[in-house]
């Protein structure tokens, strides 16, 4: 009954099977193997265009390496304060870019808005030697707030981004959840909307440790191989990364897994919002719920062995994350327990009065 | 019949089994899981002292991160030109250290010698602001030449290293092969000999992707966690790294695997040196053979489907690497084929005369 | 009639004379000369304590080098968005620190407030591996808004800073103006208030190109010499940097120069605030004035050949900077011209109505 | 009587006069002043082609910034072990390039030879992801051995350099001495011979602190301005750097100064080689002499108050450097004193026997 994060999960059975299957015979190292070669075609098909992909093992590596191809050391990367690259990677982007600056934008519903971006870029200090130079915009899809950028929103951001000569990066640690949520194609949600580079996450959605950095903008790929090696992220037994990614996209496993996670989140949220004193912080559009619960309910849930995080310090806001393997029964149990403590809470409240 | 490298191998069955077993239930992310916690005790026992260990997935990450704790950005790391950190990591140490300089020493039999190190350190520019500052010495055990430093040699290097206030790093990508070769304990070969940090390799010897950075010098550990995260090397599903390492050292699997690899190398070398026109470049003390063969023999072996690398450019020197899963029959086949072409070679030679 | 900046000025005559005088005979290079040696004693006396000083030629070098001794590459430096280190040095701090993050705090009157700092540090992510680690606080004295931190304000900031284990840095590009403004001693305004490192600016106040990085916290000095050399900031003919600094502090030249600049600013401001439609943005406490003027007045002043910058984009706010060599007659002229256009402005306004 | 280095000198009177003259009125900061603008035309004329120049204050800054435009962070810069960039700048090139590797080549007479460069580049690991990527070649003109590359030698190096797609950098800390020595034009010795970027030194030859980074290859200039600012090397009162450079090249001052220095070196060397037991280490082609003297002579010269450095540790080799202001009488005095001790030395030797 763990709603703490989608990274507490193990490996999706199909992917574990693929790892076992890949453990046959010798394979050329460092990505010269057949698994990795096959991936290229498979990702071209998946995205309906020619892409260049680089498998890596962690989301932070994917993001930081991707960004390092999109900015000079004296560049500025526009993002949200709460974005993973800014808040949760211990400065990995600064490290990999040689010291670029992450400039934070206003946020609402966990999103950058094109108008805010345009306003900031209008006074960005471009071409003035005293200031870091605008280089890239990074958005997270699905967002850190559990919301999802619409196609229109991404189009608008991409237009502002490109009109100023910048590149658009997508942190897609939960990209699958966004695709499922919108019901659109991966192509629509990326290059057709103006995305230059996508970090296509698999780990949170069922892989052991695998992400693919997907370049739609081929002009950016030239140095990636060297940067990956230099960062210690080129695996000698690369077939085991590639086999995960192959299994992940095979027969739409990634979408099935994300569909389940999203459904569980929706079901969980629906049950909770009906309770008194409860308030959703953001629309539940992917597999994360940010919700305010009465303190007694939170305490009760914790006491009953549910795992989740409080969010934003001392408040009574919690985050609930569902995953590819969240059990329907756990969701039902959570709702029931919350309901039970919710009643008590208000009883206590009445009595006090 | 692949003697190209020990990284063309898959995963040792015991380790694959451990990965499958670890895929049960939820686990705390980022190393707060039970597997990772258990490792600490297990490595303390393995090394007969209190160590601090950090699992990472690649040897380059292990080396570069380890070195980044041992030198300031303006430091010098003394090593061999042919060392992996200098020649084969695309500048990973320079990247992780913030630009430290790798200063190369003379090599014989693939080893640094204490006297050479002492001579260089006598004129190192220490405390003079114009020069990079001596910070660390890095040796590779077993060496890139397939030889093994003796305990005395390491003691001597450590003494010079520490007498100048430097730290001693061991790139142990093939540490298991060295331990088996010397028949000593891991403790004898490391901290008792003066080693400060060991990169304890598992990938080449049967893991999927797992190395442990082992700190004997506790003063160096303080920043490692941040550097690992910042480098994108902190795995969310860390249990799968730790499970590999646990299985690797359990019931001496690492030594059994290395023992087999070393034995195969010795057997292969013994068969080859008996042939005419053949010359070993270095003593065969671990699982690598560097050997000069008549060109006709090399051509014949390649034609018959054996995989291996020529070494050092245009010469007729080849490298043969054995591994935990090298088949006895493959070694025998290699010897026989070499013998067959060797006879022809000399026949051809005779006829030409 | 140039009020654009204090860096449009030349060299104070006393300092130019010192440069000419220093051009006698041979001198040991790289700071081993007598001028540099003498500086140490002179700065000890100036600050009434044992300090370690390092002359450099630019304020950006001083700040970035100073900060590089106060934070690890994965550290956070707390500052204002508008601070020179964050906004006007093209990422120099990120470069010199190896990628530390500048985290911006709320600003009022150009100042960080201790309470805001405390609130942010209460949730700083200290000791959590996912987040950059709190390392230093940087304030600017006099501030970028032309205001001056009081002794109490610095004491309060220092207390919060140190209670969290951080270091306090002062960008003192206009430190002289602050000392004069407060009428306190340099010691009171620095180490007695808890400052660890001061970048003691001279260039804006009469030097050709000279700043002194002054360490009160001796634990931080160890790597500075190497970092300065590595940054290309160790001058071979160092005597010419040191001679500037010597002349700058000799017979209180720095205070006399700053006193004049401050007085000119006050006089200029007093004349302007009396005009209709005029609003001071901040109290004028040093040598900078940020003021809103009617557009017609701004246009008139520009037309009459006065040099100054508009500030903050499209608004009718301008910045006026006075310096050690600002002429009293220029201040009077500026006031008179402003007054003249001011009358017309309101006349025009009346007529339009 | 100081032969320790050309950086113990002060400022050439013509340059000091220019600094005094430049101290008139206000000037736009950061290189927008008239002095800096004029320099562009003046350097175009000097080099008979369109160049882009950037004034900086130190040779290390010039070299490191120049190199940072010529290599990616994962690049290799080929140079000599004894080159200033490799041996005497505390890792400045590594710092400014983000961790590029300096790969050292064999040296004879202080020079890289085209054939050696070609041999190394033939096995450079280009386009192989495991290795740092060949990016630039750096030569020093005049060399660290006091010799001078001929035009043919530079042509040959440039041809190899460019045929592998690399850039050619010249550390010209003593470029004037080389031009004078060869009697050729600055254009012949640089872009006509294939040089991409020259660090045109002035400090050692009479400036206070001024060097010009001169780009012949315009494709490399794009990021320099940002890198210079970010490195803290953009002077606010830039006119004082530019005024030095203007005076330095005006009416061939730079050549006159170098001519004198070279002449003094030749005269000094001629006197010394005539003495018994003396051996020149390299031909004296610029303003440096590396010479073996009998120990008694060295001791005598030191005792009589001459300043110079021993070179290369314990040997009896010394380095003598002449400069623009070396007095003829000092050279004569040095020769006479050497001769005096030389006689005694051999007398003592005879007596001992």
């Amino acid at each position: 009954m763990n709603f703490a994060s989608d990274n507490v999960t193990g490996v999706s059975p199909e992917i574990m099977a693929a790892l076992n299957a890949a453990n046959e015979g010798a394979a050329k190292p460092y990505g010269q193997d057949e698994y990795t070669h096959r991936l290229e075609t498979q990702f071209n098909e998946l995205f309906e265009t020619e892409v260049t992909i680089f498998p890596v093992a962690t989301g932070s590596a994917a993001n930081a390496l991707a960004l390092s191809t999109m900015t000079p050391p004296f560049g500025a990367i526009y993002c949200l304060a709460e974005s993973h690259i800014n808040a949760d990677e211990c400065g990995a982007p600064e490290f990999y870019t040689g010291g670029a600056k992450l400039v934070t934008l206003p946020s609402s519903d966990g999103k950058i808005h094109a108008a805010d971006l345009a306003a900031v870029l209008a006074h960005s200090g471009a071409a003035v030697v005293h200031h870091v130079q605008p280089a890239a915009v990074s958005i997270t899809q699905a967002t850190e707030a559990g919301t999802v950028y619409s196609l229109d929103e991404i189009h608008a951001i991409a237009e502002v981004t490109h009109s100023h000569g910048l590149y658009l990066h997508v942190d897609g640690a939960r990209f699958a959840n966004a695709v499922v949520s919108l019901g659109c194609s991966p192509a629509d949600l990326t290059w057709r909307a103006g995305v230059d580079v996508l970090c296509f996450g698999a780990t949170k959605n069922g892989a052991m440790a695998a992400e693919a950095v997907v370049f739609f903008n081929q002009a950016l790929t030239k140095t990636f191989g060297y940067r990956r090696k230099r960062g210690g992220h080129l695996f000698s037994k690369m077939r085991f990364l590639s086999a995960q990614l192959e299994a992940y996209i095979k027969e739409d496993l990634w979408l099935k897994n994300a569909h389940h996670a999203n459904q569980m989140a929706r079901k969980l949220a629906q049950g909770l919002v009906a309770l008194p004193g409860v308030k959703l912080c953001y629309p539940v559009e992917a597999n994360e719920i940010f919700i305010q619960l009465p303190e007694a309910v939170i305490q009760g849930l914790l006491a009953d062995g549910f795992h989740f995080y409080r969010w934003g310090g001392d408040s009574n806001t919690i985050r609930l994350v569902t995953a590819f393997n969240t059990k329907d029964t756990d969701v039902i149990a959570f709702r029931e327990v919350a309901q039970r403590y919710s009643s008590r809470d208000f009883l206590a409240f009445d009595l006090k009065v």
Side-chain angles (χ1 to χ4, degrees), chain A:
Chain A
M1 296 183 306
N2 197 317
F3 295 90
S5 177
D6 31 13
N7 63 24
V8 304
T9 60
V11 183
S12 203
E14 302 85 344
I15 294 174
M16 202 72 204
L19 283 169
N20 283 287
N23 195 22
E24 277 300 311
K28 285 193 178 167
Y30 298 119
Q32 299 166 314
D33 61 277
E34 290 173 26
Y35 297 86
T36 307
H37 285 159
R38 282 205 302 262
L39 270 190
E40 292 172 21
T41 313
Q42 291 161 349
F43 270 77
N44 286 348
E45 286 169 13
L46 184 67
F47 283 99
E48 304 172 49
T49 189
E50 194 150 329
V51 301
T52 302
I53 70 151
F54 297 92
V56 296
T58 73
S60 293
N63 283 332
L65 281 166
L67 291 169
S68 76
T69 69
M70 306 170 82
T71 176
F74 50 83
I77 300 165
Y78 298 88
C79 62
L80 293 182
E82 66 262 36
S83 64
H84 207 263
I85 60 168
N86 187 58
D88 297 301
E89 299 183 349
C90 198
E94 286 90 342
F95 177 43
Y96 275 88
T97 60
K101 185 185 279 288
L102 276 62
V103 178
T104 57
L105 297 171
S107 167
S108 75
D109 277 354
K111 301 180 193 174
I112 289 173
H113 293 275
D116 292 329
L117 178 62
V120 167
L121 289 181
H123 300 92
S124 66
V128 179
V129 84
H130 305 288
H131 312 308
V132 288
Q133 293 300 297
V137 174
S138 177
I139 62 174
T140 307
Q141 174 77 313
T143 76
E144 307 286 348
T147 56
V148 172
Y149 284 96
S150 72
L151 289 183
D152 282 352
E153 287 172 327
I154 297 181
H155 269 284
I157 289 170
E159 195 179 320
V160 175
T161 299
H162 293 153
S163 72
H164 285 80
L166 282 66
Y167 299 114
L168 181 55
H169 166 258
V170 173
D171 175 349
R174 296 187 179 96
F175 183 71
N177 305 90
V179 169
V180 164
S181 181
L182 291 171
C184 65
S185 74
D188 285 343
L189 201 46
T190 54
W191 61 275
R192 285 204 192 109
V195 172
D196 291 292
V197 185
L198 167 70
C199 292
F200 179 82
T203 308
K204 289 182 193 295
N205 193 31
M208 181 183 279
E211 316 271 315
V213 181
V214 184
F215 283 89
F216 306 106
N217 185 333
Q218 300 298 330
L220 295 171
T221 62
K222 202 175 155 191
T223 67
F224 193 96
Y226 302 109
R227 294 180 185 277
R228 178 174 60 174
K229 174 70 191 184
R230 181 174 178 75
H233 289 289
L234 180 63
F235 277 46
S236 56
K237 300 184 180 176
M238 179 75 94
R239 58 170 141 167
F240 295 106
L241 277 189
S242 299
Q244 290 180 66
L245 290 168
E246 185 175 45
Y248 183 63
I249 62 173
K250 194 176 176 184
E251 294 172 11
D252 288 343
L253 174 64
W254 67 299
L255 298 175
K256 287 176 203 159
N257 279 359
H259 179 78
H260 177 79
N262 285 8
Q263 206 174 21
M264 290 296 101
R266 206 162 43 238
K267 185 170 182 176
L268 182 52
Q270 283 165 351
L272 296 176
V273 292
L275 303 178
V278 160
K279 187 167 162 250
L280 270 182
C281 303
Y282 309 108
V284 177
E285 298 174 351
N287 67 322
E288 293 189 291
I289 303 167
F290 295 84
I291 194 164
Q292 292 177 11
L293 296 182
E295 182 59 27
V297 178
I298 295 176
Q299 297 289 352
L301 285 160
L302 290 170
D304 275 27
F306 290 95
H307 292 283
F308 51 83
Y309 285 112
R310 290 174 184 270
W311 213 250
D314 328 76
S315 76
N316 61 341
T317 297
I318 65 167
R319 183 184 77 157
L320 302 170
V321 191
T322 56
F324 69 94
N325 64 353
T326 299
K327 290 183 194 153
D328 196 60
T329 50
D330 284 356
V331 167
I332 293 170
F334 193 101
R335 286 169 54 161
E336 288 176 354
V337 171
Q339 193 165 10
R340 179 152 33 93
Y341 284 102
S342 185
S343 319
R344 288 189 201 167
D345 181 52
F346 276 77
L347 184 62
F349 180 78
D350 289 347
L351 288 177
K352 262 198 281 183
V353 176

